[in-house]
Amino acid sequence: MIIDVHTHTFKDSIAKKAIDKLSVESNIKPAFDGTMSGLTNLLIKNNIDLAINVPVATKLSQVHSINEYVIEENKKVKENKILSFGAIHPLYEDYKNEIKYLKDNNVKGIKLHPVYQNEPVDSINTINVINEAFKNDMIV
């Protein structure tokens, strides 16, 4: 089985804007359009069995809506070949309940991104989130 363990997708409504911005910031040409269907097509084309989607919450206000989205998308993992992790921001006050929500909905892990979240990986906030994820048997 071939698994791509680090992919990013976005809701169809924001994918183009997000991909355009990220490709300029990173100076990397995107491999696909940033949508779930675009990634699925790329996986099929390249004979990849599964992709792990790791969304990043760059704002506190994005955390829950991203997680609602990935929970719905994970219901289609057999069709779209994509398993999504949840998104937690280290400064998100209700991180314990959000992690429990993810765990209760069979999300296997969370994504943190200190650079885009402007919070050091060794800050007490980030460490608390990591510890809570581990308490819930989640991958970080």
Side-chain angles (χ1 to χ4, degrees):
M1 176 176 265
I2 299 173
I3 302 172
D4 184 337
V5 298
H6 189 154
T7 65
H8 295 282
T9 64
F10 306 90
K11 293 179 185 177
D12 289 356
S13 60
I14 65 164
K16 181 173 178 6
K17 182 179 176 184
I19 288 294
D20 288 349
K21 180 181 179 191
L22 288 170
S23 66
V24 169
E25 287 178 6
S26 66
N27 198 29
I28 297 172
K29 182 183 174 196
F32 68 103
D33 66 359
T35 65
M36 286 281 196
S37 61
L39 179 55
T40 298
N41 291 334
L42 189 66
L43 297 172
I44 292 167
K45 177 183 172 189
N46 291 289
N47 295 314
I48 298 171
D49 300 298
L50 181 71
I52 307 299
N53 180 43
V54 286
V56 178
T58 58
K59 299 175 187 169
L60 299 175
S61 61
Q62 297 171 326
V63 171
H64 192 71
S65 65
I66 289 172
N67 292 332
E68 287 178 321
Y69 172 68
V70 300
I71 287 166
E72 284 306 307
E73 289 299 320
N74 278 351
K75 293 175 183 174
K76 304 179 228 170
V77 70
K78 288 185 179 172
E79 298 94 61
N80 67 18
K81 303 170 69 142
I82 302 165
L83 179 68
S84 292
F85 282 8
I88 298 288
H89 193 291
L91 301 178
Y92 191 70
E93 287 185 21
D94 200 20
Y95 71 92
K96 287 183 179 182
N97 284 326
E98 195 69 18
I99 289 171
K100 183 178 180 336
Y101 169 67
L102 291 167
K103 176 72 174 180
D104 290 348
N105 283 281
N106 299 312
V107 176
K108 304 299 183 195
I110 62 167
K111 168 72 173 180
L112 297 170
H113 200 309
V115 173
Y116 282 106
Q117 294 175 322
N118 294 313
E119 185 68 16
V121 71
D122 59 352
S123 76
I124 190 64
N125 297 314
T126 304
I127 291 167
N128 288 340
V129 167
I130 291 168
N131 285 335
E132 190 65 25
F134 289 166
K135 284 181 195 173
N136 284 276
D137 298 318
M138 297 180 86
I139 299 165
V140 178

